[in-house]
Amino acid sequence: MRNTPHRQFPALPQRPSPLNTRSLWALLLVASLVWSLHAAGLFDRELLNVGGWTLVGRFLVAAIHPDLSREILQLTFDSTLKTLAFAVCGTFFSLLIGLVGGVLSSQVWWQSVARFRNQGSGVMSQASWLGIRAVLALPRAIHELIWGLFLINILGLDPLVAVLAIAIPFGAITAKVFSEILDETPRQPLMALLNSGVSPLNAFTYTLIPQAFLNLLSYSFYRFECSIRSAAVLGIIGAGGLGYQILLSLQSLRYEQVWTFLIALIALNGLTDFWSALLRHRLGAPSRLDLNVLKFKRGKKPDYQRDLIVRGSFLAMVVLIIFSFWYVQADFSKLWAPRTAELLAGVVRDVFPPDGSQLSQLFALSLQTLAMSILAMAGAGFGGIVCSFLAAHNFLLPGGIFAPGNSSSRGLGGQNHGWGTVVLIFTRFLLLVARAVPEPIWALLFLFVLFPGILPGAIALGLHNFGILGRLMAEVTENLDERPLRSLKALGATPAQVFLYAVLPLTLPRFIAYILYRWEVCIRATVIVGLVGAGGLGRLLTEQLSSFDYKGLLTTLIVFLGLTFAVDLISAAVRRAVR
């Protein structure tokens, strides 16, 4: 009897283990949320201050009739110009720092240097790269408000304080992002020039930077929008502008004036957002934080030289920069004045050595700060995801994801597409208001009806980040490749099926990445809501600053920096897991 060979059947794919890296991170997220709610006192203490509802009612009623007197309107105009000028000057310096620091902190730069010098991988180049990234990590870990408080002690109440307080941390942040953009840009043209003997600087100038220009420009606009919000926040420490006027009017219970300044701040943010979106659309640039140059939408290459809007916008930028430096009148000579060096040396003498007597209190406050950031980002992330779809042009409008396949049809279920337009405008306005109002102002409003603690701070941070995340996520949906969606529609899939099986899988990983990125920013922003009494390490910083306890202040900052770096590491690990 002949032996028949056994037939080899292909092995069935194994079901993935339910306990993988992603599921473990998900379980940890749920556990951290429960712990954060407990830390906020949601389960074991009274939270609402019933007596504060009267003030809330007065505040809301004042929105109907803001103060439009001639004096207040003139003050509003001057404060708006000051806020805008601070933002422009701070963004200008932060982009200069970011461009130089971004090149020097990118791996591709040091690899190019090592290749040009025929050093292989280059141990010295690797050490230089790590050293520069370490130097840039410190200034970006400290919030701009802390920089402002520090610089006031050195430079006094000078407009230069607001400019530098924005430029230093934002420059370090921009350098980090620019380095990631350059590292993700295709390198074939760069390598061709390097192999031909061209120096790394010239090779970068003619290949990598022109390729990455649209990505760099997109993020620059995002950083400018952040600078406007930061310029308003710096008003809390007396830098002037809209934030300062809002705080003064709020503390004196002049709610009609508060609404006048708030409307101006919202309008300034809205105009900046509109201008940014229009210019990026004309240039064919990606969304503000889309750092992958390979994901540009295919289409006709825009003609920059003939586009009047593009040319006019760049001319307006130059005029705005010149006007802002003239309007601010910052005294840059203070940077090299002998008195500045003496004051800086005096501060250094006063802060060393750090005081470690409050370490147990610092540990407890660090946990409160961490819980505040987790609650804030959980609420902001969930709300941002929901509202981002409603704020996207390709969702409810005719021809969108939740509209019938024929672009000439009239909305969802045959209804008039005006309903979709109303939802879009309302959602975008809601996101604009949420992100335009600074976190400390939100915190002061919620302290009317909530007892002091981390909950008002978490809600304030959550609202502000909800506005930012919702807008960024809406751009992700708008920039989706529509070919898979059209294919599913052509096969008869319902809008809900298209959403569940095509839109969510494509957008959710990037949504999570955005939430984690904003968490890194949020942990730094917990300081500013603490300054107005919302709890956490920020409250202790306020007490130490008011009592001139510089040794304790240094200890608190060291602990805060450690917490910030820990959050950065966790965020990076989770982003790698969901990639």
Side-chain angles (χ1 to χ4, degrees):
M1 186 175 172
R2 230 192 290 179
N3 291 329
T4 57
H6 294 286
R7 294 184 66 183
Q8 298 292 330
F9 293 97
L12 294 174
Q14 296 182 351
R15 290 184 66 181
S17 172
L19 287 177
N20 52 35
T21 307
R22 293 186 180 184
S23 61
L24 290 175
W25 279 118
L27 290 174
L28 186 60
L29 171 63
V30 174
S32 64
L33 275 176
V34 175
W35 168 75
S36 299
L37 289 171
H38 176 72
L42 203 64
F43 305 129
D44 54 6
R45 70 183 181 91
E46 187 179 0
L47 300 174
L48 290 178
N49 178 17
V50 180
W53 286 108
T54 304
L55 293 176
V56 173
R58 286 177 54 192
F59 177 77
L60 295 177
V61 169
I64 305 173
H65 44 84
D67 190 340
L68 300 179
S69 62
R70 184 174 180 179
E71 293 181 359
I72 293 300
L73 289 179
Q74 182 63 44
L75 181 60
T76 302
F77 180 73
D78 294 339
S79 301
T80 303
L81 284 183
K82 184 172 289 188
T83 300
L84 178 63
F86 283 155
V88 171
C89 296
T91 304
F92 177 79
F93 284 118
S94 68
L95 293 180
L96 288 181
I97 297 170
L99 186 59
V100 176
V103 171
L104 295 179
S105 61
S106 63
Q107 282 185 309
V108 64
W109 167 259
W110 292 107
Q111 290 172 0
S112 302
V113 170
R115 189 184 187 94
F116 182 73
R117 295 177 178 175
N118 296 320
Q119 293 177 348
S121 60
V123 177
M124 288 298 297
S125 297
Q126 186 74 6
S128 302
W129 172 69
L130 291 174
I132 291 174
R133 289 185 74 91
V135 169
L136 290 172
L138 183 61
R140 74 168 181 264
I142 302 175
H143 194 273
E144 53 269 21
L145 193 65
I146 302 300
W147 278 109
L149 291 169
F150 169 74
L151 291 170
I152 281 178
N153 290 326
I154 307 298
L155 303 173
L157 280 175
D158 190 276
L160 184 60
V161 169
V163 175
L164 294 179
I166 294 173
I168 294 173
F170 280 14
I173 294 171
T174 304
K176 177 178 181 291
V177 176
F178 278 10
S179 69
E180 294 174 356
I181 292 174
L182 294 174
D183 284 335
E184 292 182 6
T185 303
R187 305 180 184 182
Q188 292 84 351
L190 174 69
M191 293 299 130
L193 287 186
L194 291 174
N195 292 334
S196 302
V198 179
S199 67
L201 182 59
N202 288 333
F204 259 67
T205 303
Y206 290 104
T207 59
L208 214 62
I209 291 179
Q211 282 180 274
F213 172 73
L214 290 181
N215 286 91
L216 300 176
L217 183 67
S218 294
Y219 185 77
S220 299
F221 271 110
Y222 172 72
R223 188 46 55 195
F224 176 50
E225 295 169 25
C226 294
S227 295
I228 290 178
R229 293 189 284 267
S230 294
V233 169
L234 287 169
I236 294 176
I237 60 173
L242 287 171
Y244 179 65
Q245 300 300 334
I246 291 172
L247 181 64
L248 287 181
S249 299
L250 197 58
Q251 289 177 339
S252 58
L253 305 182
R254 297 175 181 174
Y255 299 133
E256 291 80 6
Q257 296 179 9
V258 172
W259 277 105
T260 305
F261 299 128
L262 280 176
I263 291 170
L265 184 58
I266 293 169
L268 180 61
N269 278 269
L271 288 174
T272 305
D273 180 77
F274 175 77
W275 180 36
S276 167
L278 176 63
L279 184 57
R280 286 185 295 102
H281 175 73
R282 306 290 293 194
L283 291 171
S287 61
R288 295 166 176 83
L289 289 183
D290 190 352
L291 305 183
N292 190 342
V293 293
L294 300 179
K295 291 182 180 178
F296 278 25
K297 286 192 169 183
R298 299 180 182 272
K300 185 178 178 181
K301 187 176 180 180
D303 188 352
Y304 307 145
Q305 296 182 349
R306 295 187 179 182
D307 194 318
L308 294 178
I309 294 179
V310 174
R311 293 172 61 186
S313 294
F314 281 107
L315 178 61
M317 289 180 200
V318 175
V319 173
L320 189 57
I321 291 172
I322 296 173
F323 167 78
S324 298
F325 277 99
W326 170 81
Y327 187 83
V328 165
Q329 295 292 314
D331 186 3
F332 288 95
S333 64
K334 286 187 175 182
L335 293 176
W336 50 83
R339 177 169 172 75
T340 301
E342 294 174 5
L343 291 172
L344 181 60
V347 170
V348 173
R349 284 195 304 268
D350 291 340
V351 299
F352 288 103
D355 180 12
S357 61
Q358 296 179 315
L359 285 179
S360 58
Q361 182 186 8
L362 287 172
F363 179 74
L365 291 176
S366 297
L367 293 179
Q368 289 184 13
T369 302
L370 182 62
M372 186 192 305
S373 68
I374 292 173
L375 287 178
M377 293 317 301
F382 178 78
I385 290 174
V386 172
C387 288
S388 67
F389 295 115
L390 302 178
H393 281 105
N394 59 341
F395 199 74
L396 289 178
L397 296 184
I401 298 167
F402 256 63
N406 186 359
S407 60
S408 63
S409 59
R410 300 172 65 93
L412 179 63
Q415 296 178 7
N416 192 293
H417 66 78
W419 180 83
T421 304
V422 170
V423 172
L424 175 73
I425 293 175
F426 174 78
T427 308
R428 291 211 164 194
F429 180 74
L430 179 66
L431 295 173
L432 173 62
V433 172
R435 68 178 178 270
V437 179
E439 301 99 314
I441 304 302
W442 281 124
L444 286 172
L445 293 176
F446 283 103
L447 282 170
F448 285 160
V449 294
L450 295 172
F451 289 111
I454 67 173
L455 189 59
I459 296 175
L461 290 168
L463 266 176
H464 186 75
N465 283 280
F466 155 73
I468 296 173
L469 284 174
R471 188 69 184 92
L472 294 174
M473 291 173 177
E475 291 181 351
V476 172
T477 305
E478 291 174 346
N479 291 328
L480 281 177
D481 186 356
E482 296 180 358
R483 289 172 295 181
L485 311 183
R486 291 173 182 168
S487 299
L488 282 176
K489 280 189 174 184
L491 293 173
T494 64
Q497 291 172 330
V498 173
F499 178 74
L500 289 174
Y501 295 106
V503 177
L504 272 185
L506 290 173
T507 57
L508 201 56
R510 292 167 70 186
F511 286 174
I512 295 174
Y514 281 2
I515 293 171
L516 292 169
Y517 166 75
R518 286 304 305 179
W519 185 34
E520 298 174 19
V521 179
C522 181
I523 194 70
R524 298 170 177 85
T526 54
V527 174
I528 60 176
V529 295
L531 288 175
V532 296
L537 287 170
R539 180 182 59 81
L540 181 60
L541 280 172
T542 306
E543 296 173 358
Q544 291 169 336
L545 283 168
S546 60
S547 60
F548 303 100
D549 181 12
Y550 293 122
K551 297 183 187 297
L553 178 66
L554 178 60
T555 308
T556 304
L557 283 177
I558 292 173
V559 172
F560 182 72
L561 289 177
L563 179 63
T564 301
F565 288 134
V567 168
D568 288 353
L569 291 174
I570 295 172
S571 172
V574 179
R575 286 201 303 270
R576 286 194 299 269
V578 300
R579 207 173 267 172

